[in-house]
Amino acid sequence: MTEKGSEKRVALVTGSTSGIGMAIATRLAKDGFTVAFHSRSSVLVRQSLAAAHPGSSYVQADLSDQSQSRNLIAVVVSRHGRLDILVNNAGISATIPHTSLKEASPELWRSLYEVNVIAPWTLIAEAEVALRQSSRPECPSCILNISSHAGMRLKGASIPYAATKAALNHMTKLLALSLAPQIRVNAIAPGFVDTPMSQAWTAAQKLWTERSPMGRGAQPEEIAQLASLLVASHYLTGEIIIADGGLNLT
Ligand code: NAD
């Protein structure tokens, strides 16, 4: 079902058929947005999402392919007639000890950069016109990047993964300057979140349980609650909000 030219605001959440992205997309649908769900390959999920959220849509695209990234924006704008919110959530990780330099091959660096840095950039560049068109002074359009605490601290599943998230954080601030005032750009830097991606991160889970002031990692819905707040905060731009249960204080 589509709402071409609708007054209802439209949000695209990448990687939204699992984990943090699914929680954010579901939350934004509850907040009243028309949501465009996206994943690399989830045909079955597509039917259940469309049924659960009338007016929503689903687009499949492999974001490691720049032409598919560009097409994703074109399809969403064509289906819904506008785009107000872009959440760059899709991402990949690699777990490599920081001392094992040879394990982090150039090919691995490139694949992580393709999905975690170049894809968000391509989507933002492609969405800029539509985001500017739907922006109003009292309600600017909004880009929200899901980075990681690994991009802020000297930690993370691997050095290449942490470097991609640091790049995404820096891009967030530079774009907040370039795209203001019509488009706000912010990021959430989560710590450990219980998702399919983090199932193998047993050491990180232990660290959050034993050392973080909140005594546990986050649930995806708690990151979605913060995303909802940032989307609704019409004066906020250029911020990287660390959501790590206070671990950075220790
Ligand atoms: P997840 O594996 O459930 O979600 C990742 C999503 O990205 C999936 O929907 C997947 O389809 C999508 N994706 C991956 N490669 C893609 C590609 N080439 N094309 C299109 N889509 C692709 O994991 P998650 O934990 O929900 O991760 C969401 C975001 O949160 C990621 O950017 C991740 O780096 C970040 N993050 C996660 C944690 C954590 O502890 N789980 C912590 C910090 C940051």
Side-chain angles (χ1 to χ4, degrees):
M1 194 159 40
T2 63
E3 300 187 9
K4 196 171 172 80
S6 165
E7 285 305 306
K8 203 168 160 186
R9 300 178 79 212
V10 174
L12 166 61
V13 184
T14 65
S16 47
T17 59
S18 68
I20 295 169
M22 187 174 214
I24 292 176
T26 306
R27 174 67 192 234
L28 293 181
K30 282 193 189 128
D31 288 349
F33 290 93
T34 295
V35 174
F37 289 82
H38 154 267
S39 75
R40 185 175 29 187
S41 55
S42 297
V43 176
L44 283 178
V45 178
R46 164 190 187 159
Q47 283 136 10
S48 59
L49 286 174
H53 303 286
S56 70
S57 67
Y58 169 86
V59 189
Q60 186 176 344
D62 181 349
L63 300 183
S64 64
D65 177 337
Q66 286 174 49
S67 66
Q68 292 193 36
S69 295
R70 284 193 285 269
N71 188 53
L72 169 61
I73 300 295
V75 169
V76 170
V77 174
S78 154
R79 275 190 193 166
H80 296 288
R82 60 186 292 163
L83 181 63
D84 303 83
I85 314 288
L86 169 61
V87 182
N88 282 309
N89 165 78
I92 53 172
S93 178
T95 304
I96 301 171
H98 289 202
T99 47
S100 303
L101 304 198
K102 291 219 167 120
E103 271 188 60
S105 66
E107 291 72 28
L108 179 108
W109 274 90
R110 283 190 198 97
S111 65
L112 286 167
Y113 261 84
E114 281 292 348
V115 178
N116 294 356
V117 181
I118 296 170
W121 175 267
T122 304
L123 293 170
I124 291 167
E126 203 63 24
E128 181 187 358
V129 169
L131 290 169
R132 283 194 194 280
Q133 276 171 356
S134 58
S135 180
R136 298 193 308 279
E138 72 283 9
C139 187
S141 293
C142 164
I143 294 166
L144 181 59
N145 295 323
I146 306 303
S147 66
S148 170
H149 78 107
M152 314 282 287
R153 307 182 76 208
L154 303 180
K155 300 263 180 210
S158 63
I159 290 177
Y161 174 71
T164 63
K165 294 302 188 177
L168 188 59
N169 285 338
H170 203 57
M171 187 200 296
T172 298
K173 287 178 180 268
L174 290 166
L175 285 173
L177 278 174
S178 301
L179 300 177
Q182 288 97 347
I183 307 171
R184 302 184 297 110
V185 191
N186 294 292
I188 297 176
F192 182 88
V193 188
D194 184 13
T195 70
M197 180 184 281
S198 65
Q199 291 314 296
W201 299 349
T202 43
Q205 184 161 24
K206 190 163 179 282
L207 178 70
W208 257 268
T209 306
E210 292 176 356
R211 296 268 306 278
S212 75
M214 294 304 288
R216 60 177 177 83
Q219 289 302 311
E221 292 72 22
E222 292 170 311
I223 304 302
Q225 185 182 38
L226 178 57
S228 168
L229 191 70
L230 297 185
V231 165
S233 301
H234 295 163
Y235 191 60
L236 198 77
T237 196
E239 296 294 340
I240 318 259
I241 311 291
I242 303 175
D244 70 348
L247 187 72
N248 69 91
L249 305 172
T250 65

Coordinates of all heavy atoms in Angstrom, one line a residue, residues 128-197:
E128 N 19.1 13.9 -0.6 CA 19.1 15.3 -0.3 C 18.0 16.1 -0.8 O 17.3 16.9 -0.1 CB 20.5 15.9 -0.7 CG 20.6 17.4 -0.3 CD 21.8 18.1 -0.8 OE1 22.7 17.4 -1.4 OE2 22.0 19.3 -0.6
V129 N 17.7 16.0 -2.1 CA 16.7 16.8 -2.8 C 15.3 16.5 -2.1 O 14.6 17.5 -1.8 CB 16.7 16.5 -4.3 CG1 15.4 17.2 -4.9 CG2 17.9 17.0 -5.0
A130 N 15.0 15.3 -2.0 CA 13.7 14.9 -1.4 C 13.6 15.4 0.0 O 12.5 15.9 0.5 CB 13.4 13.4 -1.5
L131 N 14.6 15.3 0.8 CA 14.6 15.7 2.2 C 14.5 17.2 2.3 O 13.7 17.8 3.1 CB 15.9 15.3 2.9 CG 16.1 13.8 3.2 CD1 17.5 13.5 3.7 CD2 15.1 13.3 4.2
R132 N 15.1 18.0 1.4 CA 15.0 19.4 1.4 C 13.6 19.8 1.0 O 13.0 20.8 1.5 CB 16.0 20.1 0.4 CG 17.4 20.2 0.9 CD 18.2 21.1 0.1 NE 19.7 20.9 0.3 CZ 20.3 21.5 1.3 NH1 19.7 22.2 2.2 NH2 21.6 21.3 1.5
Q133 N 13.0 19.1 0.0 CA 11.6 19.5 -0.4 C 10.6 19.3 0.6 O 9.6 20.1 0.7 CB 11.2 18.6 -1.6 CG 11.8 19.1 -3.0 CD 11.6 18.2 -4.1 OE1 11.2 17.0 -4.0 NE2 12.0 18.6 -5.3
S134 N 10.7 18.3 1.5 CA 9.7 18.0 2.5 C 9.9 18.8 3.8 O 9.1 18.9 4.7 CB 9.6 16.5 2.8 OG 10.8 16.1 3.3
S135 N 11.1 19.5 3.9 CA 11.5 20.2 5.1 C 10.6 21.5 5.3 O 10.3 22.1 4.3 CB 13.0 20.5 5.0 OG 13.3 21.2 6.2
R136 N 10.3 21.7 6.5 CA 9.6 23.0 6.9 C 10.4 23.7 8.0 O 11.0 23.0 8.8 CB 8.2 22.8 7.3 CG 7.3 22.2 6.2 CD 5.8 22.2 6.5 NE 5.5 21.7 7.8 CZ 5.3 20.5 8.1 NH1 5.4 19.5 7.2 NH2 5.0 20.1 9.3
P137 N 10.4 25.0 8.1 CA 11.2 25.7 9.1 C 10.9 25.1 10.5 O 11.8 24.9 11.3 CB 10.8 27.1 9.0 CG 10.4 27.3 7.6 CD 9.7 26.0 7.2
E138 N 9.7 24.9 10.8 CA 9.3 24.4 12.2 C 9.5 22.9 12.3 O 9.4 22.4 13.4 CB 7.9 24.8 12.5 CG 6.8 24.1 11.8 CD 6.5 24.5 10.4 OE1 7.3 25.3 9.8 OE2 5.5 24.1 9.8
C139 N 9.8 22.2 11.2 CA 9.9 20.8 11.2 C 10.9 20.3 10.2 O 10.5 19.8 9.1 CB 8.5 20.2 11.0 SG 8.5 18.4 11.2
P140 N 12.2 20.5 10.4 CA 13.2 20.2 9.4 C 13.2 18.7 9.2 O 12.9 17.9 10.1 CB 14.5 20.7 10.0 CG 14.2 21.5 11.2 CD 12.8 21.1 11.7
S141 N 13.7 18.3 8.0 CA 13.9 16.9 7.7 C 15.1 16.4 8.5 O 15.8 17.2 9.1 CB 14.2 16.7 6.2 OG 13.0 17.0 5.5
C142 N 15.3 15.1 8.6 CA 16.2 14.5 9.6 C 16.9 13.3 9.1 O 16.3 12.4 8.5 CB 15.3 14.2 10.8 SG 16.1 13.2 12.0
I143 N 18.2 13.3 9.3 CA 19.0 12.1 9.0 C 19.5 11.6 10.4 O 20.0 12.4 11.2 CB 20.2 12.4 8.1 CG1 19.7 12.8 6.7 CG2 21.2 11.2 8.0 CD1 20.8 13.4 5.8
L144 N 19.4 10.3 10.6 CA 19.9 9.7 11.9 C 20.8 8.5 11.5 O 20.4 7.6 10.9 CB 18.7 9.2 12.7 CG 19.1 8.6 14.1 CD1 19.9 9.6 15.0 CD2 17.8 8.2 14.8
N145 N 22.1 8.6 11.9 CA 23.0 7.6 11.6 C 23.2 6.7 12.9 O 23.4 7.2 14.0 CB 24.4 8.2 11.2 CG 24.3 8.9 9.9 OD1 23.5 8.5 9.0 ND2 25.0 10.0 9.7
I146 N 23.2 5.4 12.7 CA 23.5 4.5 13.8 C 25.0 4.1 13.7 O 25.4 3.3 12.9 CB 22.6 3.2 13.8 CG1 21.1 3.6 13.7 CG2 22.9 2.4 15.1 CD1 20.6 4.6 14.8
S147 N 25.8 4.7 14.6 CA 27.2 4.4 14.6 C 27.5 3.4 15.7 O 26.8 2.4 15.8 CB 28.0 5.7 14.7 OG 27.9 6.3 15.9
S148 N 28.4 3.7 16.6 CA 28.8 2.8 17.7 C 29.7 3.5 18.7 O 30.4 4.4 18.3 CB 29.5 1.6 17.1 OG 30.0 0.8 18.2
H149 N 29.6 3.0 19.9 CA 30.5 3.5 20.9 C 32.0 3.2 20.5 O 32.9 3.9 20.8 CB 30.3 2.8 22.3 CG 30.8 1.4 22.3 ND1 31.9 1.1 23.1 CD2 30.4 0.3 21.7 CE1 32.2 -0.2 22.9 NE2 31.2 -0.7 22.1
A150 N 32.1 2.2 19.6 CA 33.4 1.8 19.1 C 34.0 2.9 18.2 O 35.3 2.9 18.0 CB 33.3 0.5 18.2
G151 N 33.2 3.8 17.7 CA 33.7 4.9 17.0 C 34.1 6.1 17.8 O 34.6 7.1 17.3
M152 N 33.9 6.0 19.2 CA 34.2 7.1 20.1 C 35.3 6.7 21.0 O 36.0 7.6 21.5 CB 32.9 7.4 21.0 CG 31.6 7.5 20.2 SD 31.5 9.1 19.4 CE 31.2 10.2 20.8
R153 N 35.4 5.4 21.4 CA 36.4 4.9 22.3 C 37.4 4.0 21.7 O 37.1 3.5 20.6 CB 35.7 4.2 23.5 CG 34.6 5.0 24.1 CD 34.0 4.2 25.2 NE 34.8 4.2 26.4 CZ 34.8 3.3 27.4 NH1 34.1 2.2 27.2 NH2 35.6 3.4 28.4
L154 N 38.5 3.7 22.3 CA 39.5 2.8 21.7 C 39.1 1.3 22.0 O 39.8 0.6 22.7 CB 40.9 3.1 22.3 CG 41.2 4.6 22.0 CD1 42.6 4.9 22.6 CD2 41.2 4.9 20.5
K155 N 37.9 1.0 21.5 CA 37.3 -0.4 21.7 C 36.7 -0.8 20.4 O 36.7 -0.1 19.4 CB 36.2 -0.3 22.8 CG 36.7 0.2 24.1 CD 36.9 -0.9 25.1 CE 37.4 -0.4 26.4 NZ 38.3 -1.4 27.1
G156 N 36.0 -2.0 20.5 CA 35.2 -2.4 19.4 C 35.6 -3.8 18.9 O 36.7 -4.3 19.2
A157 N 34.7 -4.4 18.1 CA 34.9 -5.8 17.6 C 36.2 -6.0 16.8 O 36.8 -7.0 16.8 CB 33.7 -6.2 16.8
S158 N 36.6 -4.9 16.1 CA 37.8 -4.9 15.3 C 38.2 -3.5 15.0 O 37.4 -2.6 15.1 CB 37.7 -5.7 14.0 OG 36.8 -5.1 13.2
I159 N 39.5 -3.3 14.7 CA 39.9 -1.9 14.4 C 39.2 -1.4 13.1 O 38.7 -0.3 13.1 CB 41.5 -1.9 14.2 CG1 42.1 -2.0 15.6 CG2 41.9 -0.5 13.6 CD1 43.6 -2.0 15.7
P160 N 39.1 -2.2 12.0 CA 38.4 -1.7 10.9 C 36.9 -1.3 11.2 O 36.5 -0.3 10.7 CB 38.4 -2.9 9.9 CG 39.6 -3.7 10.3 CD 39.7 -3.5 11.8
Y161 N 36.2 -2.2 11.9 CA 34.8 -1.8 12.3 C 34.8 -0.5 13.1 O 34.0 0.4 12.7 CB 34.2 -2.9 13.1 CG 32.8 -2.6 13.7 CD1 31.7 -2.6 12.8 CD2 32.6 -2.3 15.0 CE1 30.5 -2.3 13.3 CE2 31.4 -2.1 15.5 CZ 30.3 -2.0 14.7 OH 29.0 -1.7 15.2
A162 N 35.7 -0.4 14.1 CA 35.7 0.9 14.9 C 36.0 2.1 14.0 O 35.4 3.2 14.1 CB 36.7 0.8 16.0
A163 N 36.9 1.9 13.0 CA 37.3 3.0 12.1 C 36.1 3.4 11.3 O 35.9 4.6 11.0 CB 38.5 2.6 11.3
T164 N 35.3 2.5 10.8 CA 34.1 2.8 10.0 C 33.1 3.7 10.8 O 32.5 4.6 10.3 CB 33.4 1.6 9.4 OG1 32.8 0.8 10.4 CG2 34.3 0.8 8.5
K165 N 33.0 3.3 12.1 CA 32.0 4.0 12.9 C 32.5 5.4 13.3 O 31.8 6.4 13.4 CB 31.7 3.2 14.1 CG 30.9 1.9 13.8 CD 29.6 2.2 13.0 CE 28.8 0.9 12.8 NZ 27.5 1.2 12.2
A166 N 33.9 5.6 13.4 CA 34.4 6.9 13.7 C 34.2 7.8 12.5 O 33.9 9.0 12.6 CB 35.9 6.7 14.0
A167 N 34.4 7.2 11.3 CA 34.2 7.9 10.0 C 32.7 8.4 9.9 O 32.4 9.5 9.5 CB 34.5 7.1 8.8
L168 N 31.8 7.5 10.3 CA 30.4 7.8 10.3 C 30.1 9.0 11.2 O 29.3 9.9 10.9 CB 29.5 6.6 10.6 CG 28.0 6.7 10.4 CD1 27.7 7.1 8.9 CD2 27.3 5.4 10.8
N169 N 30.7 8.9 12.4 CA 30.5 10.0 13.4 C 31.0 11.4 12.8 O 30.3 12.4 12.9 CB 31.2 9.7 14.7 CG 30.5 8.6 15.5 OD1 29.3 8.4 15.3 ND2 31.2 8.0 16.4
H170 N 32.2 11.4 12.2 CA 32.7 12.6 11.7 C 31.9 13.1 10.5 O 31.6 14.3 10.4 CB 34.2 12.4 11.3 CG 35.0 13.6 11.3 ND1 35.2 14.4 12.4 CD2 35.7 14.2 10.3 CE1 35.9 15.4 12.0 NE2 36.3 15.3 10.8
M171 N 31.4 12.2 9.7 CA 30.6 12.6 8.6 C 29.3 13.2 9.1 O 28.8 14.2 8.5 CB 30.2 11.3 7.8 CG 29.5 11.5 6.5 SD 28.6 10.1 5.9 CE 29.9 9.0 5.6
T172 N 28.8 12.7 10.2 CA 27.5 13.2 10.8 C 27.7 14.7 11.1 O 26.8 15.5 10.8 CB 27.2 12.4 12.1 OG1 27.0 11.1 11.7 CG2 26.0 13.0 12.8
K173 N 28.8 15.0 11.8 CA 29.0 16.4 12.2 C 29.2 17.3 11.0 O 28.7 18.4 10.9 CB 30.2 16.5 13.1 CG 29.9 16.0 14.5 CD 31.1 16.0 15.4 CE 30.7 15.5 16.8 NZ 30.3 16.5 17.7
L174 N 30.1 16.9 10.0 CA 30.3 17.7 8.8 C 29.0 17.9 8.0 O 28.8 19.1 7.6 CB 31.4 17.0 7.9 CG 32.8 17.0 8.5 CD1 33.7 16.0 7.8 CD2 33.4 18.4 8.5
L175 N 28.2 16.9 7.9 CA 27.0 17.0 7.1 C 25.9 17.9 7.9 O 25.1 18.6 7.3 CB 26.4 15.7 6.8 CG 27.1 14.9 5.7 CD1 26.5 13.5 5.5 CD2 27.0 15.7 4.4
A176 N 26.0 17.9 9.2 CA 25.1 18.7 10.0 C 25.3 20.2 9.6 O 24.4 21.0 9.5 CB 25.3 18.5 11.5
L177 N 26.6 20.5 9.4 CA 27.0 21.9 9.0 C 26.6 22.1 7.6 O 26.0 23.2 7.2 CB 28.5 22.1 9.1 CG 29.1 22.4 10.5 CD1 30.6 22.4 10.4 CD2 28.6 23.8 10.9
S178 N 26.8 21.2 6.7 CA 26.5 21.4 5.2 C 25.0 21.4 4.9 O 24.7 22.1 4.0 CB 27.1 20.2 4.4 OG 28.5 20.2 4.6
L179 N 24.2 20.7 5.6 CA 22.8 20.5 5.2 C 21.9 21.4 6.1 O 20.7 21.4 5.7 CB 22.4 19.1 5.3 CG 23.2 18.1 4.4 CD1 22.8 16.7 4.7 CD2 23.1 18.5 3.0
A180 N 22.4 22.1 7.1 CA 21.5 22.9 7.9 C 21.1 24.2 7.1 O 21.8 24.6 6.2 CB 22.2 23.4 9.1
P181 N 19.9 24.8 7.3 CA 19.0 24.4 8.4 C 17.8 23.4 7.9 O 17.0 23.0 8.8 CB 18.3 25.7 8.8 CG 18.3 26.5 7.5 CD 19.5 26.0 6.7
Q182 N 17.8 23.1 6.6 CA 16.7 22.3 6.2 C 16.7 20.8 6.7 O 15.7 20.2 6.8 CB 16.6 22.2 4.6 CG 16.1 23.5 4.0 CD 17.3 24.4 3.6 OE1 18.5 24.1 3.9 NE2 17.0 25.4 2.8
I183 N 18.0 20.3 6.8 CA 18.1 18.9 7.2 C 19.0 18.8 8.5 O 20.2 19.3 8.5 CB 18.8 18.1 6.1 CG1 18.0 18.3 4.7 CG2 18.8 16.6 6.4 CD1 18.7 17.7 3.5
R184 N 18.5 18.2 9.5 CA 19.3 17.9 10.7 C 20.0 16.6 10.6 O 19.4 15.7 9.9 CB 18.3 17.9 11.9 CG 17.5 19.1 12.2 CD 16.8 19.0 13.5 NE 15.8 18.0 13.5 CZ 15.8 16.9 14.2 NH1 16.9 16.7 15.0 NH2 14.9 16.0 14.2
V185 N 21.2 16.5 11.1 CA 21.9 15.2 11.0 C 22.5 14.9 12.4 O 23.3 15.7 13.0 CB 23.1 15.3 10.0 CG1 23.7 13.9 9.7 CG2 22.7 16.0 8.7
N186 N 22.1 13.7 12.9 CA 22.6 13.3 14.3 C 22.9 11.8 14.2 O 22.6 11.1 13.2 CB 21.5 13.5 15.3 CG 21.2 15.0 15.5 OD1 22.0 15.7 16.0 ND2 20.0 15.4 15.1
A187 N 23.6 11.3 15.2 CA 23.9 9.9 15.3 C 23.7 9.4 16.7 O 23.7 10.1 17.7 CB 25.4 9.7 14.9
I188 N 23.4 8.1 16.8 CA 23.3 7.4 18.0 C 24.5 6.4 18.0 O 24.7 5.7 17.1 CB 22.0 6.6 18.2 CG1 20.8 7.5 18.3 CG2 22.1 5.7 19.5 CD1 19.5 6.8 18.3
A189 N 25.3 6.4 19.1 CA 26.4 5.5 19.2 C 26.1 4.5 20.4 O 26.4 4.8 21.5 CB 27.7 6.3 19.6
P190 N 25.5 3.4 20.0 CA 25.1 2.4 21.0 C 26.3 1.7 21.6 O 27.3 1.5 20.9 CB 24.2 1.4 20.3 CG 23.9 2.0 19.0 CD 25.1 2.9 18.7
G191 N 26.2 1.2 22.8 CA 27.2 0.2 23.4 C 26.6 -1.2 23.0 O 26.2 -1.4 21.8
F192 N 26.7 -2.1 23.9 CA 26.2 -3.5 23.6 C 24.7 -3.5 23.5 O 24.0 -3.0 24.4 CB 26.7 -4.5 24.6 CG 26.2 -5.9 24.3 CD1 27.0 -6.7 23.6 CD2 25.0 -6.4 24.8 CE1 26.6 -8.0 23.3 CE2 24.6 -7.7 24.5 CZ 25.4 -8.5 23.8
V193 N 24.1 -4.0 22.4 CA 22.7 -4.1 22.2 C 22.4 -5.6 21.9 O 23.1 -6.1 21.0 CB 22.1 -3.2 21.1 CG1 20.6 -3.2 21.1 CG2 22.7 -1.7 21.3
D194 N 21.4 -6.1 22.5 CA 21.0 -7.5 22.3 C 20.3 -7.7 20.9 O 19.1 -7.5 20.8 CB 20.1 -8.0 23.4 CG 19.8 -9.4 23.3 OD1 20.4 -10.2 22.6 OD2 18.8 -9.9 24.0
T195 N 21.1 -8.1 19.9 CA 20.6 -8.2 18.5 C 21.3 -9.4 17.9 O 22.3 -10.0 18.4 CB 20.9 -7.0 17.6 OG1 22.3 -7.0 17.4 CG2 20.5 -5.7 18.3
P196 N 20.9 -9.8 16.7 CA 21.6 -10.9 16.0 C 23.0 -10.6 15.8 O 23.9 -11.5 15.9 CB 20.8 -11.0 14.6 CG 19.5 -10.5 14.9 CD 19.6 -9.4 15.9
M197 N 23.4 -9.4 15.5 CA 24.8 -9.0 15.3 C 25.7 -9.3 16.5 O 26.8 -9.7 16.4 CB 25.0 -7.5 14.9 CG 26.4 -7.1 14.7 SD 26.6 -5.4 14.3 CE 26.1 -5.3 12.6

